[in-house]
């Protein structure tokens, strides 16, 4: 009985002390735990805590399974495998940067959650049920296998700058050039610079023409813009672009008697991007936009175009993110 008791105590000690070390001993060179100690990643099933915003609950899944759901939600499954791999790195990097176990801040308003499935807060994520609805039961198996292969082929890989995970921003279609983080949000990251992009011209969102009635515009911008009155007075320069950003997007624009930033104009009028022109025709303004999204970081359609020309995911990543390196958190 004493031997059994001694064995049991030893087993408890092993389970309490050694097993958590194997599971939680996660290291990304430079990443810190909540207490400031560095951690080493040994287990490829490291858990991530995901807030399902539509169900208002937190669930736990493996990091790699989470990445598969993000890639499926954020990038067309028809894309080339190398583009899907690039998206997997961006998705995984975002997750690692925010995970509590790696020293990330998680979700401030949802204690215990690392990320949210709400694309307005984190990055989009889809489960099996929604993907079967999106793709249909026949294509589900094909697409899920393709995405799983892309994620598994890059298992554990993240994008780093000076050894730290980057803010791996991405967007649909850049149009001619990507934007720098500084011109969009005012903060400058050395790896989020503007680069030329010629590979996304096949995107269905590359250009758009949108007509808006002046009355609608005035309602969106406010009566103090004087849009309708200016048009009635015969003002042919109802809209005037005052300044452009370094990547050629609208920085400041005057419409009627109001001056707005390009970002404000895009948000209020629901334009696809800040790369736009406007022309008055009768009682309408005709907006022509190039690109879709904020334009910073990885251009998804550009990544697919590069992949079709034979570039691999590493070349895609190091092109759109300036001066970065790719590191495997499971082999650190």
């Amino acid at each position: 009985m004493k031997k059994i008791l001694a064995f049991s105590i030893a087993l408890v000690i092993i389970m309490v002390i050694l097993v958590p070390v194997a599971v939680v001993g996660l290291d990304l060179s430079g990443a810190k735990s909540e207490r400031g100690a560095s951690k080493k990643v040994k287990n490829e099933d490291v858990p991530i805590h995901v807030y399902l915003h539509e169900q208002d609950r937190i669930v736990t899944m493996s990091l790699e399974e989470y990445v598969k759901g993000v890639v499926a939600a954020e990038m067309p499954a028809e894309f080339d495998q190398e583009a899907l791999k690039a998206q997997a790195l961006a998705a995984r990097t975002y997750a690692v940067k925010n995970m509590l176990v790696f020293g990330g801040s998680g979700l401030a308003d949802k204690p215990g959650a690392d990320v949210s499935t709400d694309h307005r807060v984190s990055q989009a994520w889809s489960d099996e049920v929604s993907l079967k609805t999106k793709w249909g039961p026949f294509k589900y198996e094909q697409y899920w296998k393709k995405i799983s292969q892309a994620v598994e082929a890059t298992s554990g890989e993240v994008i780093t700058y000076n050894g730290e995970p980057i803010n791996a921003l991405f967007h649909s279609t850049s149009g001619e050039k990507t934007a720098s983080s500084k011109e969009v949000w005012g903060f400058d990251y050395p790896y989020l610079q503007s680069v030329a992009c010629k590979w996304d011209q096949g995107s269905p969102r590359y250009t758009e023409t949108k007509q808006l009635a002046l009355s609608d515009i005035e309602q969106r911008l406010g009566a103090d813009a004087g849009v309708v009155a200016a048009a009635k007075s015969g003002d042919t320069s109802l809209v005037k672009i005052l300044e452009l950003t370094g990547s050629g997007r609208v920085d400041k624009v005057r419409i009627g008697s109001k001056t707005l930033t390009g970002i404000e104009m895009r948000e209020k009028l629901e334009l696809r991007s800040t790369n736009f022109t406007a022309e008055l025709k009768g009682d309408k303004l005709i907006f022509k936009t190039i690109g879709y999204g904020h334009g910073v970081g990885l251009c998804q359609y550009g990544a697919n175009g590069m992949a079709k020309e034979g570039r691999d995911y590493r070349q895609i990543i190091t092109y759109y993110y300036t001066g970065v390196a790719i590191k495997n958190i499971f082999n650190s």
Side-chain angles (χ1 to χ4, degrees):
M1 188 69 178
K2 290 182 179 179
K3 289 183 179 181
I4 294 174
L5 180 59
F7 176 77
S8 299
I9 292 172
L11 183 60
V12 168
I13 292 172
I14 291 172
M15 293 299 291
V16 170
I17 297 176
L18 298 183
V19 172
V21 169
V23 175
V24 182
L26 313 173
D27 179 47
L28 179 58
S29 176
K32 299 291 181 182
S33 72
E34 291 176 89
R35 296 182 181 178
S38 81
K39 297 185 172 185
K40 294 201 171 192
V41 175
K42 297 298 182 186
N43 190 328
E44 296 191 17
D45 290 326
V46 53
I48 183 171
H49 308 294
V50 183
Y51 173 64
L52 305 180
H53 73 288
E54 292 183 342
Q55 301 177 30
D56 192 26
R57 66 189 182 99
I58 299 172
V59 299
T60 300
M61 64 186 77
S62 78
L63 172 60
E64 297 303 295
E65 286 303 306
Y66 166 74
V67 172
K68 291 177 184 179
V70 174
V71 175
E74 292 282 9
M75 179 173 274
E78 298 87 352
F79 274 17
D80 188 276
Q81 195 75 349
E82 295 304 306
L84 292 171
K85 289 178 184 178
Q87 183 68 61
L89 261 68
R92 189 181 296 109
T93 302
Y94 175 87
V96 167
K97 189 170 183 63
N98 286 276
M99 289 171 68
L100 296 169
V101 72
F102 289 109
S105 58
L107 292 179
D109 60 339
K110 299 293 175 184
D114 296 308
V115 293
S116 169
T117 56
D118 186 348
H119 72 277
R120 297 166 298 181
V121 177
S122 297
Q123 49 190 0
W125 178 86
S126 294
D127 61 11
E128 180 180 352
V129 174
S130 59
L131 289 174
K132 283 183 176 178
T133 301
K134 174 182 175 181
W135 293 331
F138 298 108
K139 285 191 175 181
Y140 171 79
E141 296 296 334
Q142 172 193 345
Y143 285 162
W144 185 250
K145 180 179 179 181
K146 183 180 179 182
I147 287 171
S148 294
Q149 289 174 342
V151 173
E152 289 163 9
T154 64
S155 178
E157 291 185 345
V158 296
I159 313 161
T160 65
Y161 187 87
N162 287 341
E164 297 291 336
I166 69 168
N167 288 303
L169 299 174
F170 54 88
H171 60 281
S172 168
T173 307
S174 66
E176 300 177 342
K177 289 182 178 181
T178 66
S180 69
S181 60
K182 186 174 183 179
E183 67 184 81
V184 177
W185 295 293
F187 51 81
D188 191 18
Y189 287 111
Y191 51 81
L192 293 177
Q193 301 300 312
S194 174
V195 297
C197 183
K198 62 178 183 179
W199 300 278
D200 63 345
Q201 295 180 16
S203 168
R205 293 172 168 175
Y206 191 80
T207 60
E208 182 190 51
T209 299
K210 182 174 184 176
Q211 298 185 28
L212 287 172
L214 297 180
S215 57
D216 183 16
I217 293 172
E218 188 159 293
Q219 185 176 8
R220 293 173 186 234
L221 300 183
D224 58 326
V227 173
V228 174
K232 286 181 178 179
S233 70
D235 184 357
T236 55
S237 61
L238 181 63
V239 179
K240 185 176 181 179
I241 294 172
L242 304 175
E243 294 179 23
L244 296 177
T245 67
S247 66
R249 291 165 168 81
V250 175
D251 188 23
K252 289 184 180 179
V253 57
R254 179 183 57 75
I255 177 166
S257 59
K258 208 166 196 176
T259 298
L260 302 169
T261 66
I263 294 173
E264 289 172 332
M265 189 80 149
R266 181 196 172 201
E267 291 174 350
K268 291 178 182 295
L269 301 186
E270 298 179 278
L271 304 177
R272 284 187 172 179
S273 78
T274 56
N275 188 349
F276 63 81
T277 59
E279 182 183 1
L280 178 64
K281 283 193 176 180
D283 63 347
K284 293 182 175 63
L285 275 177
I286 312 300
F287 290 90
K288 292 183 179 179
T289 58
I290 297 176
Y292 184 69
H294 52 63
V296 181
L298 176 73
C299 171
Q300 294 173 315
Y301 274 90
N304 195 45
M306 290 183 73
K308 287 181 177 180
E309 287 189 3
R311 271 82 160 188
D312 64 25
Y313 73 98
R314 290 176 173 268
Q315 292 172 308
I316 294 169
I317 289 295
T318 53
Y319 181 78
Y320 283 109
Y321 301 109
T322 306
V324 300
I326 295 172
K327 184 183 183 80
N328 196 308
I329 59 173
F330 298 142
N331 298 330
S332 298

